[in-house]
Amino acid sequence: MIIAIEGCAHGELDQIYRSVENLSRQRNAKVDLLICCGDFQAVRNENDLQCMAVPEKFRQICTFHKYYSGELRAPVLTLFIGGNHEASNYLQELAYGGWVAPNIYYLGYAGVVKFGGIRIAGISGIFKGHDYLKGHFEKPPYTNGTMRSVYHVRNLEVFRLKQLKEDIDIFLSHDWPRGIYNYADTGELLHWKPFFRDEIANNVLGSQANESLLHEVKPKYWFAAHLHCRFAATVQHNETQSTHFLALDKCLPRRQYLELIEVPHNASQTLELCYDPHWLAILRSTNHLLSVHPTTQYMPSGGPGCRERYEFYPTEEEMGDVKTIFNDDYRIPLNFSQTAEPFRPRPNYNRNARQAEPQLNPQTTELCKKLGIDDPLEKLIGKPTIVSTPVFNPDEITLELDDEEEQLDEQPEKAIPVDSNEFFIVDTKPQKRSKMSLPQPQNETLDDVPLCTEKGPVIEATNITSSTEQVTEDDLPSTIKKFKRRNQALYVDPENSS
Ligand SMILES: [Fe+2]
């Protein structure tokens, strides 16, 4: 199967789907699945916008609402994890994953799904040590503090993922595993990104949680985003196991934000998104560890004095229970429904709307009931609030149709040279030398691709040339500058470090 991997999305779904279409046409390859590595910005309306951690003047409604309302349908099955610029109130509805729009699936705080038999695991958010041991205590309306801590990775999710042991094909994170730069030519990375020097020297660039997951889970591939550059490395765990790591840029002209990979799979398996029974069993057996308090909670370690269970790799009995519950049918139901009014496009929309109220999502309620586990949000806010908006399923209708991130964007844009690599689909053109073992870039050049302007409708960017033609910012038409400036501004956030 062919999987398209995208870095930070930043609400530019229209552009990303056009890029996927163009790239699949260029490569003569049908893309079966699109994976976005965070900063997805599933903003449904003005109230969601107020729940996203970005400076006020840069809150932009972007394009997701069209896919949520049913005006457009995602042309390719899309899977994503959360980053540090999200409509966190909406993602909190789907703690264990769910459809945020028809054909667009969020993996949850952490999650594992299967697609055509390929096992995909991931974790949302970014690592911050000061929140790592806390429960999921945040709820909208957020304070300035909780609007940021809500997307900080917690030890519960890392603990659960570590129970998987191995056999993960693809792992997704928003921030990089700490130390990943030691598995490629760091000198070359620093040549292109010199402002990483101190963090690499002090070994603080990236997530400690992801670093430990990388070395315990040992997935075949690991995809990430957040630092706004393309970087590849290979981690050789032992004689037989290795992880191919690839970080991608964000969706902007001339950036390397899109890549195709071909993953062999059993052709007898249908290309449908399915739950992973091992993960479901782990969710069940670790439900008692869920905390919704801001106090410190350690996970059981098996150390001296530990009398509780500390290993949760599912037993045969636990797997049998899951099999019975699901009748051995793990296909994820197409049960998307709206839980808030979609945005009604108008030129001067309310940028000072109130934050959304917390809302339980029927998808999570259904899954939790089935598994006999707690919905973290329900644990926080109590029994179901009434869904106040009409619920419909567009699948059933026929359509006619961080600080550092800011610094990164201020750096002069240089393309990192790359070599071909056997595990990615590559160009056959010879490349210039590189000490790094990087896959060939497959990023969309944006030639002949319509772009979104800041406020208005899609325009044709006929004046944009490809990345190989060395255009400068001044060469771009004014509408394109708006596109650039708007995205740049998303990273002005004192909180958002790697
Ligand atoms: Fe990010």
Side-chain angles (χ1 to χ4, degrees):
M1 72 172 77
I2 305 289
I3 302 180
I5 313 293
E6 197 274 333
C8 295
H10 289 298
E12 297 293 349
L13 275 184
D14 287 357
Q15 180 58 56
I16 290 167
Y17 288 133
R18 277 193 292 269
S19 299
V20 169
E21 188 186 342
N22 287 353
L23 192 54
S24 62
R25 203 169 40 230
Q26 285 171 22
R27 307 290 169 210
N28 196 23
K30 180 185 170 296
V31 172
D32 299 298
L33 175 69
L34 166 68
I35 292 176
C36 297
C37 298
D39 289 348
F40 193 78
Q41 297 183 197
V43 175
R44 299 167 296 183
N45 54 39
E46 292 104 320
N47 307 103
D48 282 4
L49 206 49
Q50 299 303 318
C51 296
M52 191 166 69
V54 288
E56 190 65 32
K57 61 181 177 177
F58 301 124
R59 293 180 197 278
Q60 299 289 335
I61 203 81
C62 294
T63 58
F64 170 78
H65 66 88
K66 293 189 274 186
Y67 300 85
Y68 175 75
S69 70
E71 179 189 338
L72 294 175
R73 183 181 168 88
V76 57
L77 176 62
T78 304
L79 176 69
F80 76 99
I81 53 166
N84 57 323
H85 298 292
E86 304 292 355
S88 298
N89 63 309
Y90 190 20
L91 299 192
Q92 275 202 280
E93 291 182 16
L94 300 164
Y96 300 123
W99 302 101
V100 295
N103 225 22
I104 304 179
Y105 192 84
Y106 167 57
L107 203 53
Y109 284 129
V112 186
V113 292
K114 283 183 172 176
F115 180 68
I118 300 297
R119 212 167 171 214
I120 305 170
I123 187 162
S124 294
I126 60 172
F127 178 81
K128 289 287 180 183
H130 56 265
D131 287 322
Y132 184 61
L133 301 177
K134 293 176 182 171
H136 291 287
F137 69 94
E138 302 90 348
K139 63 178 179 183
Y142 303 113
T143 63
N144 279 342
T146 60
M147 193 180 291
R148 286 164 179 77
S149 66
V150 66
Y151 54 70
H152 292 164
V153 166
R154 302 297 149 89
N155 59 349
L156 172 63
E157 277 69 39
V158 175
F159 181 78
R160 283 173 164 165
L161 286 165
K162 285 183 179 175
Q163 307 307 314
L164 295 167
K165 307 299 177 197
E166 296 168 0
D167 296 328
I168 294 294
D169 296 296
I170 294 174
F171 198 99
L172 311 173
S173 69
H174 186 59
D175 47 1
W176 300 12
R178 185 180 67 174
I180 191 67
Y181 32 82
N182 295 323
Y183 296 90
D185 187 332
T186 307
E188 182 105 4
L189 175 63
L190 286 173
H191 175 73
W192 299 105
K193 298 284 182 184
F195 45 95
F196 288 163
R197 183 173 302 282
D198 288 348
E199 287 170 279
I200 288 177
N202 296 322
N203 200 31
V204 294
L205 181 66
S207 159
Q208 295 171 48
N210 289 344
E211 180 184 30
S212 66
L213 281 165
L214 169 67
H215 295 290
E216 286 213 23
V217 178
K218 303 181 181 70
K220 294 188 182 76
Y221 298 92
W222 185 302
F223 301 114
H226 190 49
L227 293 182
H228 298 168
C229 68
R230 187 183 190 281
F231 176 75
T234 297
V235 180
Q236 195 71 43
H237 299 288
N238 51 46
E239 282 183 10
T240 57
Q241 290 174 293
S242 59
T243 298
H244 299 302
F245 173 84
L246 179 68
L248 288 168
D249 209 330
K250 62 178 180 173
C251 175
L252 273 183
R254 297 184 294 140
R255 299 298 189 93
Q256 299 181 4
Y257 62 88
L258 195 61
E259 187 93 43
L260 299 187
I261 62 164
E262 182 165 19
V263 183
H265 81 289
N266 185 339
S268 68
Q269 302 260 12
T270 56
L271 295 182
E272 287 177 280
L273 216 50
C274 296
Y275 293 120
D276 181 89
H278 282 79
W279 180 249
L280 297 178
I282 291 166
L283 288 180
R284 279 166 56 81
S285 61
T286 59
N287 185 56
H288 63 291
L289 300 174
L290 170 67
S291 161
V292 293
H293 303 292
T295 47
T296 296
Q297 173 170 300
Y298 294 101
M299 293 295 118
S301 64
C306 176
R307 292 184 183 166
E308 60 179 315
R309 181 178 176 185
Y310 60 92
E311 285 185 337
F312 292 89
Y313 188 80
T315 62
E316 273 184 35
E317 188 183 348
E318 286 168 341
M319 290 301 290
D321 290 344
V322 169
K323 189 174 177 179
T324 303
I325 292 169
F326 282 80
N327 204 16
D328 213 12
D329 179 2
Y330 299 107
R331 287 175 299 172
I332 296 176
L334 302 178
N335 56 355
F336 166 75
S337 63
Q338 293 181 350
T339 49
E341 288 279 355
F343 175 66
R344 292 199 174 86
R346 53 187 178 276
N348 296 312
Y349 58 87
N350 186 2
R351 287 181 171 77
N352 298 305
R354 287 161 52 127
Q355 280 192 40
E357 291 295 320
Q359 173 69 58
L360 299 185
N361 193 299
Q363 294 178 65
T364 305
T365 305
E366 184 183 328
L367 180 65
C368 288
K369 192 175 170 195
K370 212 168 175 178
L371 289 172
I373 63 173
D374 296 315
D375 173 354
L377 192 57
E378 186 180 327
K379 232 178 152 172
L380 270 173
I381 67 172
K383 279 290 167 191
T385 53
I386 294 171
V387 176
S388 57
T389 50
V391 171
F392 78 97
N393 182 352
D395 275 335
E396 294 173 353
I397 62 173
T398 305
L399 297 172
E400 291 181 353
L401 346 153
D402 298 316
D403 266 348
E404 284 137 4
E405 289 177 300
E406 183 195 5
Q407 289 172 22
L408 297 175
D409 289 342
E410 288 173 350
Q411 303 306 314
E413 292 179 14
K414 301 172 183 174
I416 298 177
V418 295
D419 277 344
S420 64
N421 184 308
E422 73 280 1
F423 60 86
F424 292 107
I425 298 173
V426 297
D427 274 333
T428 50
K429 284 184 290 184
Q431 295 294 307
K432 289 185 177 176
R433 66 101 205 148
S434 168
K435 291 177 186 171
M436 296 172 67
S437 177
L438 296 177
Q440 177 75 18
Q442 294 285 312
N443 63 308
E444 179 58 49
T445 62
L446 299 180
D447 275 345
D448 304 315
V449 170
L451 290 176
C452 294
T453 57
E454 187 173 25
K455 296 174 186 169
V458 167
I459 56 139
E460 293 291 333
T462 49
N463 292 331
I464 295 186
T465 53
S466 78
S467 56
T468 56
E469 294 178 33
Q470 301 296 314
V471 288
T472 66
E473 288 300 306
D474 293 338
D475 294 329
L476 297 174
S478 60
T479 47
I480 303 308
K481 283 184 178 175
K482 282 185 180 178
F483 176 85
K484 166 79 177 166
R485 216 168 34 231
R486 195 277 314 285
N487 279 275
Q488 224 172 1
L490 288 168
Y491 310 103
V492 184
D493 183 346
E495 170 68 15
N496 301 330
S497 55
S498 59

